Amino acid sequence: MRKTTKKKLVVGLMGTLFVLLSLGLIAAKSWRDMTPDEMVDYIEGRVADRLDLNEAQMEKLGALTDEIVATHEALHKDRESDHELVASELGSDEIDQALLLDLYKTRRDAFDERLPKILAKFADFHNALNGGQKQQIIEHMVESHDHRH
C-alpha cells in the first residue's frame, strides 16, 4: 500500500472515529459539567441508541472507547510539565526550537505507537456493524462535514 493511500486511510478512519464518538458530545447541553467517565458513558449511550447496537456490538464499542481513553490518559500524563515547559520557553528571550521539536516528536511517537491498537479496536467494532448501521455513520459524517464547511 502506498504511503499516501495509507495516510488517507488512517485520516479517514480517525475522522470516522471522531464523528462516531462525537455524535452525542455535540448535542450535549451540559457536557462541560460532566466528568470524563460520564462523557464516555454519555457518548457510548448516544452511539448505541442511534445505531441500535446489540450486546456484542456494545462490547466492541466499549473496547474501542476504553482504548481511546487509555491512549488519552497515556498521552496526557505529562501534560502539566509539558505546559510549564512551553510556557517557560514562551517567556524566554529566545525559543529553543530543538527542545519544542523534541517535545512534539515525543508526543507524536507516543500517539503513533498507540494508533495501531485504536485502529484494531475500531476495525473490530466496524466489522460488527451491519450495512444499515455503517450507512448511518456515513450519512452523519457527510452531514456533519457539510454543516461545518
Side-chain angles (χ1 to χ4, degrees), residues 10-39:
V10 169
V11 169
L13 286 172
M14 292 307 294
T16 303
L17 178 63
F18 173 77
V19 168
L20 181 67
L21 292 176
S22 66
L23 282 171
L25 187 59
I26 292 170
K29 293 181 180 153
S30 62
W31 63 270
R32 288 185 182 114
D33 299 329
M34 292 183 185
T35 66
D37 289 337
E38 289 172 335
M39 289 173 75

Side-chain angles (χ1 to χ4, degrees), residues 72-87:
H72 182 270
E73 289 172 358
L75 294 177
H76 288 84
K77 67 179 180 190
D78 298 325
R79 185 176 184 185
E80 290 302 316
S81 62
D82 291 348
H83 279 255
E84 289 172 12
L85 176 69
V86 171

Side-chain angles (χ1 to χ4, degrees), residues 20-21 23 41-65 124-134 136-137:
L20 181 67
L21 292 176
L23 282 171
D41 291 343
Y42 179 79
I43 292 169
E44 283 181 344
R46 292 277 300 198
V47 170
D49 288 344
R50 291 237 177 139
L51 296 178
D52 194 26
L53 299 180
N54 62 35
E55 197 170 314
Q57 292 168 328
M58 279 298 297
E59 286 180 28
K60 297 202 185 288
L61 177 62
L64 172 61
T65 56
D124 195 32
F125 172 68
H126 181 265
N127 291 337
L129 298 175
N130 63 41
Q133 291 167 322
K134 291 175 185 178
Q136 280 182 283
I137 293 170

